[in-house]
Amino acid sequence: MLTGKKILLGITGGIAAYKAASLCSKLVQQGAEVRVIMTGSATQFISELTLQALSKHPVYTDTFDEKNPQVIAHIDLADWADLALVAPATANIIAKMAVGIADDMLSTTLLATEAPIMIAPAMNVHMYTHPAVTRNLAELTGRGVLIVEPGSGQLACGYTGKGRMEEPEAIVAVLANYFARQKRVAEQPLAGKKVVVTAGGTVERLDPVRYITNDSSGKMGFAIAKAARSLGAEVVIVAGRTEVSPPAFSEGLTVTRVESALEMYEAVNAIWADTDILVKAAAVADYRPKQIAEQKMKKSGETMTLELVKNIDILETLGRSKMGQFLIGFAAETDQLEQNALDKLRRKNCDLLIANDVTAEGAGFGSDTNIVHVYDQDGLVQSLPQLSKEEIGLRIMELAAERLTGEFK
Ligand code: PMT
């Protein structure tokens, strides 16, 4: 499964370092080439000789121990790796990665590498739930670092709880999945498909200087658009007001800017007949002011009443006129997530519906991560844990590709 993959294995100083020997052995058995960097603390728990024997290569512990004068070791290793895996990852290395500290061979190499990074945290349950660790992990997740969540159980420190490094077999399986994903991306399963993604919040004007909008930053929609493009689709983004910039214009990716729900509908409807997949990640206003004042409204009286009229429901309208398009809706919920999600899915005739509890920490509006539940007409398809919006975008588009083409497993 991992034949020829170059894995840089970083081992840090926790009791779970003993499991790194088994991990290294399993990686080699699966055909991976493994190079090992150990921190000084890791060598307190397990010997370099063990990892050298298992990886069949010298182990790096010191930034200044240049084994080959032709190269700078930490840059050479950083460039060599297909993936850097830190297992176990202590609270200390997680903090260093989060702020970019490079004060030993491992942290320096991790800062220098452009390879994807995966970490398998292991620590005491109170350390794992400490706000500093939570914040650092969220920072890394947002940056695309892959986290192999620790398991729960009896910890070496005597406590019972979450913090036990995932078993080597499971980490190897996650790695295999990761490389399988890369292979699928290379297969370009959405080549020849047109994917339209709405992103951001609509703007409903009251007068020339005021409007009604919402907290959508555009991050979720843009992440989906990038994922669709990476799987080979021609992508059109229809974006309302956003806090972040859309992906840079490139061949196969265009961005149309709109303000109101009506404008969003017109833009999406104009290309609906050619659309293969529509993803409605935008937060659309259900109501708009009945009147848009031509001049700035003047202050008068102690109270003011705005009269609103119902907006078109873009998803529902297009759902009624589907001609083979694959329709993915979102549901931003604060309560009764499943019930509301299934109601929207059926009412709006979606093929998939992505529900997020926008009150949950690390989910919904503005954050770099999300926690989503995916439904189809038969009910729950999958629940995804807290992941970067990029990763969620890929999972959604992979699922859509699989359902649309039936070839993509
Ligand atoms: O942009 P971010 O900051 O990254 O935040 C992401 C997000 C929270 C905006 C996103 O994950 C999300 O939940 N988007 C949908 C927000 C929303 O409008 O949800 P809703 O439950 O009100 O609407 C249900 C669906 O109908 C949505 O797909 C929406 O686009 C669509 N809709 C709603 C109203 C309307 N008039 N027309 C529509 O098409």
Side-chain angles (χ1 to χ4, degrees), residues 81-85 110 113-118 144-146 178-179 182:
D82 289 326
L83 183 139
L85 167 66
L110 290 173
T113 192
E114 289 186 337
I117 300 178
M118 187 179 284
V145 172
L146 304 155
Y178 173 81
F179 285 113
Q182 279 204 323

Side-chain angles (χ1 to χ4, degrees), residues 198-201 214-222 224 241-244 261 264 279-287 311-317 328-333 344 348 350 353-356 358 363-370 372 389:
T198 69
N214 57 64
D215 287 329
S216 176
S217 63
K219 289 178 187 173
M220 191 68 250
F222 292 159
I224 290 170
R241 194 193 65 90
T242 62
E243 271 166 34
V244 292
M264 184 171 277
V279 190
K280 286 284 316 32
V284 184
D286 290 322
Y287 292 88
N311 256 333
I312 183 166
D313 191 309
I314 307 168
L315 190 56
E316 190 169 342
T317 307
I328 305 178
F330 266 74
E333 303 299 338
K344 282 178 187 168
K348 303 189 184 201
C350 297
L353 190 121
I354 319 300
N356 41 190
V358 292
F365 294 100
S367 64
D368 291 330
T369 57
N370 207 353
V372 305
K389 284 183 174 168

Side-chain angles (χ1 to χ4, degrees), residues 201-204 212-214 261 283-288 310-312:
T202 56
V203 164
E204 307 296 342
I212 299 171
T213 189
N214 57 64
V284 184
D286 290 322
Y287 292 88
R288 66 177 186 277
K310 206 169 189 178
N311 256 333
I312 183 166

Side-chain angles (χ1 to χ4, degrees), residues 53-116:
L54 291 168
S55 69
K56 301 187 174 49
H57 287 279
V59 170
Y60 296 80
T61 52
D62 178 358
T63 326
F64 302 103
D65 174 19
E66 298 289 2
K67 297 180 195 302
N68 174 0
Q70 304 296 321
V71 295
I72 307 288
H74 66 276
I75 303 297
D76 191 46
L77 280 175
D79 291 348
W80 169 85
D82 289 326
L83 183 139
L85 167 66
V86 185
T90 56
N92 186 46
I93 190 73
I94 290 168
K96 288 206 259 183
M97 289 170 73
V99 291
I101 289 175
D103 65 352
D104 62 10
M105 180 64 182
L106 180 59
S107 53
T108 307
T109 309
L110 290 173
L111 204 56
T113 192
E114 289 186 337

